[in-house]
Amino acid sequence: MEEKTGHSQNGAARHKKKEKATVLQKNVGLLSGVSLIVGTMIGSGIFISPKSVLLYSGAVGPCLCIWAACGVLATLGALCYAELGTMITKSGGEYAYLGESFGPVPAYLFSWTTVMVLKPSALAIITLSFAEYASTPFYPGCTPPVPVVKCLSAAAIFTIVSVNCLSVKLASYVQNFFTLAKLLIIFIIVMAGVVLLAQGRTENFSNSFDGTSASFGAIGLAFYNGLWAYDGWNQLNFITEELKNPYRNLPLAILIGIPLVSVCYVMVNVAYFTVMTATELLLSPAVAVTFGDQVLYPVSWIVPLFVVFSTFGSANGSCFTAGRIAYAAGREGHMVKILSYISPKRYTPSPALIFNGFLALIYIIPADINSLINYFSFAQWTFYGFTALALIVMRFTRKELHRPVKVPIVIPALMVLVSVYLVLAPIIDKPEVEYLYCTAFIFSGLLLYFPFVHWKVSWSRMFMRPVTMHLQLLMEVVPPEKSE
């Protein structure tokens, strides 16, 4: 390292041209950024389960209003993230912002929860729904056997992790391709809906506010499920260091990607209601497939095929960003050091990606993982709320920071209120002991934080040094260079 810096200025310039610094490279442009946001947000939810929003809102009219309102909320949340991302241009999303505003402990708890549970279990869920859809055609008339679904899901995780370890550019191309595929199927569904509306199929929209739910908790749960479908609006902030020209491309990708998804979601729901009544939609096991069977009959097989594409693309995007959180936490010493190492040949954080894939494989094994996620999504919104609060706090404590994007302070304040509501509404509506388990798990991270991070006990270092060295040799990775 010393010899490198010892060159003359001219020699250093020549040296730089030949050999890139061992840091994550700026390979993600505006198109790939938009693809990452759109591709991760649109998973399988809009095709399989738009019914939970309808179930809790009680009628077609409020259901469409809630889908639109969720889009506005996601855009407002992402605008807060645009200010944070252009002010603190570090990868890792909330991890970096919580660390800058509240210090290391909240940042550590975020990385602990996200790296150990939220990201790998999200990857497991998405690949399981991918496997279910991919294997269904081979078992007509019955549900595919569980071992087949789980093995296919494991194969998908293995493939996605391999692609992401090989090259950032390859992962971006995969993301762009699958995002185009899912936008194409949405376009087909929406156009079919427009044609049916033009033919006068509007009976499901008359008296569309009859039967609206009056319960405070039920509307909260409808929003909860709607925002679950919009989850992923913060994906680009996890990879800020890899964005070309982040000051321009981060806010621009957010302003293109999220309104695009919002329009898609509302239009797809309108298309569904042209064909199905509210009751039929609630009874359908997979709404988009039912729609395809009724409207696109001879070529109705394209819907499940494109849902397979959509879930695979979403899993790829989730894996791509998950590796960056573990990488950022490892670099700050909040996770084991090996997670922050990168491949000098391929410039990818392969140990972090492999670790995320390994945990996802473990999460495939239990029978019902969805129940776990329902309880952990309240943790997700707790962190969103704290991140919006961090923005407000830093307006007063870090006035000197350059802010290329500055949102009115009302927006983060609204996001704090929304996240408080979304965290408390389901708990008040239906208090369950699982929420306590999740909270206990989040704070159990402190049992590792104080001895290993805060006090840095000596025996742990003696144990970890040879482990890190052997893993480093096995994976052919090196510590990232300091880039100022």
Side-chain angles (χ1 to χ4, degrees):
M1 291 288 283
E2 282 71 37
E3 291 153 20
K4 265 189 198 172
T5 49
H7 283 307
S8 68
Q9 284 293 308
N10 196 19
R14 273 208 312 276
H15 192 77
K16 225 172 193 170
K17 267 182 194 165
K18 275 188 288 186
E19 189 187 311
K20 300 176 192 166
T22 317
V23 290
L24 296 180
Q25 304 298 313
K26 289 186 181 290
N27 281 330
V28 182
L30 179 62
L31 176 68
S32 296
V34 173
S35 285
L36 185 68
I37 291 178
V38 174
T40 312
M41 283 171 80
I42 305 176
S44 58
I46 190 63
F47 303 114
I48 298 171
S49 58
K51 46 192 171 194
S52 39
V53 177
L54 176 63
L55 179 69
Y56 291 117
S57 59
V60 174
C63 170
L64 294 174
C65 293
I66 284 172
W67 276 109
C70 288
V72 173
L73 278 176
T75 310
L76 293 178
L79 284 172
C80 298
Y81 275 64
E83 175 174 330
L84 286 162
T86 49
M87 178 170 73
I88 301 162
T89 53
K90 285 183 187 170
S91 285
E94 290 95 331
Y95 175 73
Y97 315 142
L98 291 170
E100 286 282 339
S101 53
F102 299 125
V105 176
Y108 169 79
L109 289 177
F110 170 78
S111 67
W112 160 253
T113 313
T114 310
V115 172
M116 300 307 286
V117 178
L118 293 178
K119 278 295 187 182
S121 60
L123 182 58
I125 285 175
I126 301 167
T127 51
L128 280 169
S129 61
F130 156 81
E132 234 160 81
Y133 261 78
S135 54
T136 302
F138 300 101
Y139 296 92
C142 64
T143 51
V146 173
V148 170
V149 171
K150 298 211 166 174
C151 288
L152 194 55
S153 172
I157 290 173
F158 183 77
T159 310
I160 289 165
V161 170
S162 304
V163 165
N164 278 276
C165 287
L166 280 172
S167 146
V168 171
K169 278 202 169 135
L170 180 61
S172 292
Y173 290 145
V174 168
Q175 193 61 31
N176 295 357
F177 171 77
F178 284 110
T179 300
L180 281 174
K182 67 184 75 177
L183 287 175
L184 178 64
I185 190 66
I186 282 178
F187 179 73
I188 292 169
I189 292 175
V190 168
M191 287 320 292
V194 169
V195 169
L196 288 164
L197 279 175
Q199 289 172 357
R201 295 282 291 274
T202 56
E203 56 274 13
N204 291 336
F205 298 101
S206 54
N207 304 326
S208 59
F209 282 84
D210 288 359
T212 304
S213 171
S215 152
F216 190 66
I219 296 291
L221 285 166
F223 266 100
Y224 215 70
N225 284 289
L227 286 163
W228 181 248
Y230 280 101
D231 206 35
W233 41 267
N234 58 339
Q235 292 298 305
L236 216 49
N237 291 69
F238 292 132
I239 60 157
T240 314
E241 288 169 33
E242 290 165 81
L243 270 180
K244 296 172 186 166
N245 190 357
Y247 299 121
R248 169 183 171 270
N249 287 345
L250 180 69
L252 209 55
I254 284 169
L255 286 172
I256 295 168
I258 295 165
L260 175 66
V261 174
S262 309
V263 171
C264 286
Y265 278 2
V266 174
M267 293 302 287
V268 166
N269 274 289
V270 170
Y272 290 157
F273 287 123
T274 58
V275 176
M276 290 175 263
T277 63
T279 316
E280 283 172 345
L281 193 120
L282 289 173
L283 290 173
S284 164
V287 181
V289 178
T290 311
F291 178 88
D293 289 342
Q294 291 190 18
V295 179
L296 311 166
Y297 174 63
V299 287
S300 56
W301 53 267
I302 67 166
V303 176
L305 175 71
F306 275 91
V307 173
V308 167
F309 284 174
S310 179
T311 44
F312 191 85
S314 192
N316 180 64
S318 174
C319 178
F320 188 85
T321 53
R324 276 46 183 187
I325 304 173
Y327 160 80
R331 189 173 58 180
E332 301 294 328
H334 284 173
M335 289 272 155
V336 285
K337 263 283 179 264
I338 187 76
L339 292 180
S340 69
Y341 286 16
I342 57 180
S343 162
K345 290 185 202 148
R346 302 192 174 90
Y347 303 102
T348 56
S350 40
L353 290 162
I354 292 165
F355 181 67
N356 180 52
F358 172 71
L359 287 178
L361 288 172
I362 293 172
Y363 284 123
I364 288 173
I365 299 164
D368 182 29
I369 187 178
N370 280 346
S371 54
L372 169 85
I373 278 311
N374 290 341
Y375 301 119
F376 266 98
S377 56
F378 101 98
Q380 187 77 65
W381 273 97
T382 309
F383 289 122
Y384 286 157
F386 273 111
T387 308
L389 189 62
L391 178 56
I392 299 170
V393 167
M394 282 195 280
R395 284 281 173 92
F396 301 103
T397 59
R398 306 294 297 275
K399 287 181 179 173
E400 77 287 355
L401 290 174
H402 174 53
R403 292 173 170 81
V405 176
K406 197 168 184 183
V407 296
I409 202 156
V410 179
I411 296 179
L414 178 69
M415 288 307 292
V416 172
L417 290 175
V418 167
S419 48
V420 167
Y421 174 65
L422 286 172
V423 168
L424 295 181
I427 300 175
I428 293 166
D429 202 51
K430 203 167 141 198
E432 287 178 33
V433 73
E434 278 84 353
Y435 292 119
L436 277 176
Y437 295 154
C438 290
T439 313
F441 173 82
I442 294 170
F443 286 104
S444 70
L446 293 174
L447 298 175
L448 295 172
Y449 177 79
F450 283 105
F452 300 121
V453 180
H454 191 68
W455 294 316
K456 297 186 172 67
V457 289
S458 56
W459 58 263
S460 72
R461 301 180 120 184
M462 280 159 56
F463 170 72
M464 279 312 293
R465 201 166 285 135
V467 173
T468 304
M469 196 174 73
H470 284 97
L471 286 171
Q472 195 180 347
L473 290 168
L474 178 70
M475 297 191 215
E476 294 184 350
V477 288
V478 295
E481 287 178 20
K482 291 271 187 289
S483 57
E484 289 302 324

